[in-house]
Amino acid sequence: MSPMPSATTSAPVSAIAGAEAGLGLRERKKLRTRQAIREAARRLIDERGYDNTTIEQIAAAAEVSPSTVFRYFPSKEHIVLTDDYAKVSMAFLRERPADEPPLAALRAVVTEMVRRLAEDFSEEYRWRRELVRQVPAIRALVGEAQDRWVESVSEVFAERAGLPADNLELRVLVGAVLGAFHQVLWGDHSEDTGLVEMIERALAVLEHPDAVGRPADTRPSTV
């Protein structure tokens, strides 16, 4: 694979400061080590291409040992992808009203995930999206992560509704919403436009599937 286009390697200062807020010294050190490894990986992948970048090279660039890299990330694919937003989404979901309809809760959670991603890591997201499209191993990891998310979210709704954790209807609903999320973020034909607007359009399809193909001004309101 050819090298990726050059991009800024550091995360926004506000995002780093926000992540460190309330953490002790040990936790801040771990967070900074993770960030250093990610920045080193991104810089090397930009310069050499994904396939030509090794864990050993990433470790050297981050000034840590290969074993330290593996302590933070099970594989090179995990360095590229992050589960930070998945964790945030689960916390946000648990804060939603317990009696809120699942689709409304999912809409709020997914929209919030996209909003945070678009505001904090828009450049990094575009870089990661290209790798998801180009590298089969990373694309496979996205699928695994999404399967876990569907399972976790379905369990939350099942617990609230007093249903079995593997309830088919809940899994279908959560999977459908995640499918919309996937098409917006990772789909090969994703538009490089406002992510929040795109996710709202995608979720509107699930709420009003009969409106597909109709002019925007004739579609039912989703508000």
Side-chain angles (χ1 to χ4, degrees), residues 144-175:
E144 294 174 10
Q146 291 180 338
D147 286 343
R148 290 194 297 272
W149 194 83
V150 169
E151 181 178 355
S152 298
V153 172
S154 297
E155 288 177 353
V156 171
F157 287 131
E159 180 180 348
R160 290 180 174 181
L163 296 171
D166 62 348
N167 179 267
L168 175 62
E169 288 77 10
L170 283 177
R171 287 188 289 113
V172 168
L173 176 62
V174 176

Coordinates of all heavy atoms in Angstrom, one line a residue, residues 144-175:
E144 N -15.8 -6.5 14.1 CA -15.8 -7.2 15.4 C -16.2 -6.2 16.5 O -17.0 -6.6 17.4 CB -14.4 -7.7 15.8 CG -13.9 -8.8 14.9 CD -12.5 -9.2 15.1 OE1 -11.9 -8.7 16.1 OE2 -11.9 -10.0 14.3
A145 N -15.7 -5.0 16.4 CA -16.1 -4.0 17.4 C -17.6 -3.7 17.4 O -18.2 -3.5 18.4 CB -15.3 -2.7 17.2
Q146 N -18.1 -3.6 16.2 CA -19.5 -3.3 16.0 C -20.4 -4.4 16.5 O -21.5 -4.2 17.1 CB -19.8 -3.0 14.6 CG -19.2 -1.7 14.1 CD -19.5 -1.4 12.6 OE1 -19.9 -2.3 11.8 NE2 -19.4 -0.2 12.2
D147 N -20.0 -5.7 16.4 CA -20.7 -6.8 16.9 C -20.8 -6.7 18.4 O -21.8 -7.0 19.1 CB -20.0 -8.1 16.5 CG -20.3 -8.5 15.1 OD1 -21.2 -7.9 14.4 OD2 -19.5 -9.3 14.5
R148 N -19.7 -6.3 19.0 CA -19.6 -6.2 20.5 C -20.5 -5.1 21.0 O -21.2 -5.2 22.0 CB -18.2 -6.0 21.0 CG -17.3 -7.2 20.9 CD -16.0 -7.0 21.7 NE -15.2 -5.8 21.2 CZ -14.3 -5.9 20.2 NH1 -14.1 -7.1 19.6 NH2 -13.7 -4.8 19.8
W149 N -20.6 -4.0 20.2 CA -21.4 -2.8 20.5 C -22.9 -3.2 20.5 O -23.7 -2.9 21.4 CB -21.1 -1.7 19.6 CG -21.7 -0.3 20.0 CD1 -21.1 0.5 20.9 CD2 -22.9 0.3 19.6 NE1 -21.9 1.6 21.1 CE2 -23.0 1.5 20.3 CE3 -23.9 -0.1 18.7 CZ2 -24.1 2.4 20.1 CZ3 -25.0 0.7 18.6 CH2 -25.1 2.0 19.2
V150 N -23.3 -3.9 19.4 CA -24.7 -4.4 19.3 C -25.0 -5.3 20.5 O -26.1 -5.1 21.1 CB -24.9 -5.2 18.0 CG1 -26.2 -5.9 18.0 CG2 -24.8 -4.3 16.8
E151 N -24.2 -6.1 20.9 CA -24.4 -7.0 22.0 C -24.6 -6.2 23.3 O -25.5 -6.4 24.1 CB -23.3 -8.0 22.2 CG -23.5 -9.0 23.3 CD -22.4 -10.1 23.4 OE1 -21.5 -10.1 22.5 OE2 -22.4 -10.9 24.4
S152 N -23.7 -5.3 23.6 CA -23.7 -4.5 24.8 C -24.9 -3.6 24.9 O -25.6 -3.5 25.9 CB -22.4 -3.7 24.9 OG -21.3 -4.5 25.0
V153 N -25.2 -2.9 23.8 CA -26.4 -2.0 23.8 C -27.7 -2.8 23.9 O -28.6 -2.4 24.6 CB -26.4 -1.2 22.5 CG1 -27.7 -0.4 22.4 CG2 -25.2 -0.2 22.5
S154 N -27.8 -3.9 23.2 CA -29.0 -4.8 23.3 C -29.2 -5.2 24.7 O -30.4 -5.3 25.2 CB -28.9 -6.0 22.4 OG -28.8 -5.6 21.0
E155 N -28.1 -5.6 25.4 CA -28.3 -6.0 26.8 C -28.8 -4.9 27.7 O -29.6 -5.2 28.6 CB -26.9 -6.5 27.3 CG -26.4 -7.8 26.7 CD -25.1 -8.2 27.2 OE1 -24.4 -7.4 27.9 OE2 -24.6 -9.3 26.9
V156 N -28.4 -3.7 27.4 CA -28.9 -2.5 28.2 C -30.5 -2.4 28.0 O -31.2 -2.3 29.0 CB -28.2 -1.2 27.8 CG1 -28.9 0.0 28.5 CG2 -26.8 -1.2 28.2
F157 N -30.9 -2.4 26.8 CA -32.3 -2.3 26.5 C -33.1 -3.5 27.0 O -34.2 -3.4 27.5 CB -32.6 -2.1 25.0 CG -32.2 -0.8 24.5 CD1 -31.4 -0.7 23.4 CD2 -32.6 0.4 25.1 CE1 -31.0 0.6 22.9 CE2 -32.2 1.6 24.6 CZ -31.4 1.7 23.5
A158 N -32.5 -4.7 26.9 CA -33.2 -5.9 27.4 C -33.4 -5.9 28.9 O -34.5 -6.2 29.4 CB -32.4 -7.1 27.0
E159 N -32.4 -5.4 29.6 CA -32.5 -5.3 31.0 C -33.6 -4.3 31.4 O -34.4 -4.6 32.4 CB -31.1 -4.8 31.6 CG -31.1 -4.6 33.1 CD -29.8 -4.2 33.6 OE1 -28.8 -4.2 32.8 OE2 -29.7 -3.7 34.8
R160 N -33.7 -3.2 30.7 CA -34.7 -2.2 31.0 C -36.1 -2.7 30.7 O -37.0 -2.4 31.5 CB -34.5 -0.9 30.2 CG -33.2 -0.2 30.6 CD -33.0 1.1 29.8 NE -31.9 1.9 30.3 CZ -31.5 3.0 29.8 NH1 -32.2 3.5 28.7 NH2 -30.5 3.7 30.3
A161 N -36.2 -3.5 29.7 CA -37.5 -4.0 29.3 C -37.9 -5.3 29.9 O -39.0 -5.8 29.7 CB -37.6 -4.1 27.8
G162 N -37.0 -5.9 30.7 CA -37.2 -7.2 31.3 C -37.3 -8.3 30.2 O -38.0 -9.3 30.4
L163 N -36.5 -8.2 29.2 CA -36.4 -9.2 28.1 C -35.1 -10.0 28.2 O -34.1 -9.5 28.8 CB -36.5 -8.5 26.8 CG -37.8 -7.7 26.5 CD1 -37.7 -6.9 25.2 CD2 -39.0 -8.7 26.4
P164 N -35.0 -11.1 27.5 CA -33.8 -11.9 27.4 C -32.7 -11.0 26.7 O -33.0 -10.2 25.8 CB -34.1 -13.1 26.6 CG -35.6 -13.2 26.7 CD -36.1 -11.8 26.8
A165 N -31.5 -11.2 27.1 CA -30.4 -10.4 26.6 C -30.2 -10.6 25.1 O -29.7 -9.7 24.4 CB -29.1 -10.7 27.3
D166 N -30.6 -11.8 24.6 CA -30.4 -12.1 23.2 C -31.7 -11.8 22.4 O -31.9 -12.4 21.3 CB -29.9 -13.5 23.0 CG -30.9 -14.5 23.5 OD1 -31.9 -14.1 24.2 OD2 -30.7 -15.7 23.2
N167 N -32.6 -11.0 22.9 CA -33.9 -10.8 22.2 C -33.6 -10.3 20.7 O -32.9 -9.4 20.5 CB -34.6 -9.7 22.9 CG -36.0 -9.3 22.3 OD1 -36.0 -8.4 21.5 ND2 -37.0 -10.1 22.6
L168 N -34.3 -11.0 19.8 CA -34.0 -10.8 18.4 C -34.4 -9.4 18.0 O -33.7 -8.7 17.2 CB -34.8 -11.9 17.6 CG -34.7 -11.7 16.0 CD1 -33.3 -11.8 15.5 CD2 -35.6 -12.7 15.3
E169 N -35.6 -9.0 18.4 CA -36.1 -7.7 17.9 C -35.2 -6.5 18.4 O -34.9 -5.6 17.6 CB -37.5 -7.5 18.5 CG -38.6 -8.3 17.8 CD -38.6 -9.7 18.3 OE1 -37.9 -10.0 19.3 OE2 -39.3 -10.6 17.7
L170 N -34.7 -6.6 19.6 CA -33.8 -5.6 20.1 C -32.5 -5.6 19.3 O -32.0 -4.6 18.9 CB -33.5 -5.8 21.5 CG -34.6 -5.3 22.5 CD1 -34.2 -5.6 24.0 CD2 -34.8 -3.8 22.4
R171 N -31.9 -6.8 19.0 CA -30.7 -6.9 18.3 C -30.9 -6.4 16.8 O -30.0 -5.7 16.3 CB -30.2 -8.3 18.3 CG -29.6 -8.7 19.6 CD -28.9 -10.1 19.6 NE -29.9 -11.2 19.4 CZ -30.0 -11.9 18.4 NH1 -29.2 -11.7 17.3 NH2 -30.9 -12.9 18.3
V172 N -32.0 -6.6 16.2 CA -32.3 -6.1 14.9 C -32.3 -4.6 14.9 O -31.8 -4.0 14.0 CB -33.6 -6.7 14.3 CG1 -34.0 -6.0 13.1 CG2 -33.5 -8.2 14.1
L173 N -33.0 -4.0 15.9 CA -33.1 -2.6 16.0 C -31.7 -1.9 16.2 O -31.4 -1.0 15.4 CB -34.0 -2.2 17.1 CG -34.2 -0.7 17.4 CD1 -34.8 0.0 16.2 CD2 -35.0 -0.4 18.6
V174 N -31.0 -2.5 17.1 CA -29.7 -1.9 17.4 C -28.8 -2.1 16.2 O -28.0 -1.2 15.8 CB -29.1 -2.5 18.7 CG1 -27.6 -2.0 18.9 CG2 -29.9 -2.3 19.9
G175 N -28.8 -3.3 15.6 CA -28.0 -3.5 14.4 C -28.3 -2.6 13.2 O -27.5 -2.2 12.5

